Amino acid sequence: MCGIVGYIGRRDATPILFKGLRRLEYRGYDSFGVATVGSALEVYKKTGRISDNEAEVACLRGSTGIGHTRWASYGEPTVINAHPQTDCDERIAVVHNGVIENYNELKRQLQERGHIFRSETDTEVIAHLIEEHYEGDLLAAVNATLAYLQGSYAILVVMEDAQRIVAARNASPLVLGVGDSEFFAASDLMPLLDYTERVIYLEDGDVADITPNRLDIYHDGQRVERPIELINWRVEDARKGGFAHYMQKEIFEQPQSFYETIRAGIDEHTRRMIMDANEITLVACGTSYHTTLIFKYLIEPLCNVSVRAEMGSEFKYFTPPLNGLVIAVSQSGETTDTIAALSMAKAHNCPTLAITNVQGSTITRVADRTLLMRAGPEIGVAATKSYTAQLAALMQIINLRCDGAFDDVLSHAHLAIGDVLLYDVRDAATLCSKANHAFFVGRGPFYPVSMEGALKMKEISYVHAEGYAAGELKHGPFALLTPETPVVAICTPGPTYSVMVSNIKEIKARKAPVIAIGVDGDKELAEIVDVFIPIPNTHLLVQVLTTSVVLQLLAYHTACALQRDIDRPRNLAKSVTVE
Ligand code: G6P
């Protein structure tokens, strides 16, 4: 949540900072700001989106600077609350991602000592504390300040008259890019892709002192070495490439990202860990949580293993008895609730596995082992290719536990995904775009697929949508069915087919229009519903993928019809690093 970026070197910092912030906008985009150090400390802040020519408009000078794009937590999205936040004399500027939990107490104490606060943010206390501890050495002042802070932070600090950035991290991500007599700092890899492939992931508790020619990293007051790693993403992957939206591009990248994730396979140690598990608990949030539910539905009838899928946000406070393997699933690898759940599993001495898309992310450093998805950078806030790549990773686990029974199915599944990409779902999208409410229903694994379809619909089109187990609709939601309430039903061959058809007839009897996703050639279904979307008649694992992709397209085209801000839906952020 929130993105921070820093540059120090020989180039003009401002364009680099704004370009970096635009790459980070998916982390939060209600306001933004930049501070540079040239002959003076200059600060520029605004609400709304960063425009193409923001660097020219801002007209800041200096080759050292920091920037921030905000997802408001403490204080509304206003210019005053935008970062950088400064001290009383506006000599010190701070950008911060995270939450300072004891900021109220610190603020009260600082005000008693005469500090004047301008914003409602928790971050401002950091600037005033640094001011208070400054005795000629910015690094020492930041170190002294950190001792007072409770909560999570990745911060970058600059000060007038100093060609220097001090960076610190605790429970919020921060990565440094290493250039030629220049350094970059950012919340994640995206802003670095344009400039360098050499990166250093800071650890929790690290403080970095950065000048154009020197980088010193300290931990517990001792100088430490952190390895330089090479980024495995390309800058082209982070561009829109002719598509109207990142989400559309990412939907279309799914055959490749699914295939690459399958092709990468599972290493031997991780295989052993999976095979040894008598019980599997999965923890995740949002879309990732839906993939864990799908996994549970798919694996339990196939393999003799009991599986629990838990929401990260609940897990920390209502921890179930823990035995066996714990798998944390997270696209970003930075979701606070998922990481907290994973840490609890470690505290219970459970073996832990992270499934994530981001090499070097926090989750990879907490878990015993990592299974890396190969989706490439995902920029649209709505998860699409990371969802199917997670399913690729999880389906490989199923395949492993089933002695390779689905080798063939999985190695060809990307072709079926490709087949549905060009489906014309505009009739269904028109129905949805006219509705205020919609239901998505399915049974078995298609129940969480429906939940994901509904989530996609509400997050990008703002049409209120709920995913339901089809049999549950009559226990309450039927009261909401009207001719203006479309119901999207997934009804594919299998043991629940006939009961799903009955459910659809019940829904139709309440006059709600039905959009059905069924298999090609299913005339019975096509005749009873208002819009029929046929998918290829394939293996169950593949149907889970193809129906999901159809639902992504439905949400996308509905949002297009409603002219929504598809890649940056209101109030959301892609990476949620607060509880
Ligand atoms: C946010 C994003 C969702 C995502 C969820 C979990 O809410 O908007 O798309 O599913 O976080 O993120 P993770 O990175 O842990 O998968």
Side-chain angles (χ1 to χ4, degrees), residues 1 26 284-289 329-336 338 355-356 363 378 380-384 386 390 452 455-456 459 572-576:
M1 231 77 167
Y26 70 90
C285 296
T287 290
S288 303
Y289 172 64
V329 183
S330 170
Q331 186 283 131
S332 61
E334 302 294 350
T335 302
T336 296
T338 306
I355 296 180
T356 184
I363 214 170
E378 187 179 66
V381 164
T384 52
S386 66
Q390 283 169 1
E452 175 59 14
L455 179 65
K456 285 287 89 75
E459 69 184 326
L572 299 180
K574 188 155 188 71
S575 181
V576 179

Side-chain angles (χ1 to χ4, degrees), residues 62-126:
S63 51
T64 298
I66 57 177
H68 184 273
T69 176
R70 184 164 185 249
W71 183 90
S73 52
Y74 292 107
E76 282 181 28
T78 59
V79 171
I80 301 251
N81 288 334
H83 300 203
Q85 290 293 323
T86 51
D87 64 319
C88 295
D89 295 335
E90 302 192 27
R91 296 175 61 215
I92 296 164
V94 180
V95 291
H96 167 219
N97 173 28
V99 174
I100 305 304
E101 285 159 9
N102 59 335
Y103 91 101
N104 261 328
E105 176 66 9
L106 292 171
K107 184 169 179 175
R108 194 183 49 74
Q109 291 167 0
L110 284 158
Q111 282 173 325
E112 279 169 13
R113 295 198 291 269
H115 289 265
I116 308 295
F117 277 75
R118 301 178 194 91
S119 77
E120 301 159 275
T121 65
D122 53 336
T123 304
E124 195 179 345
V125 298
I126 304 174

Side-chain angles (χ1 to χ4, degrees), residues 302-329:
L302 290 169
C303 316
N304 189 22
V305 59
S306 68
V307 172
R308 255 188 324 221
E310 302 280 338
M311 282 178 201
S313 53
E314 291 288 293
F315 191 91
K316 182 169 164 189
Y317 299 102
F318 305 98
T319 315
L322 281 176
N323 281 305
L325 177 63
V326 175
I327 304 179
V329 183

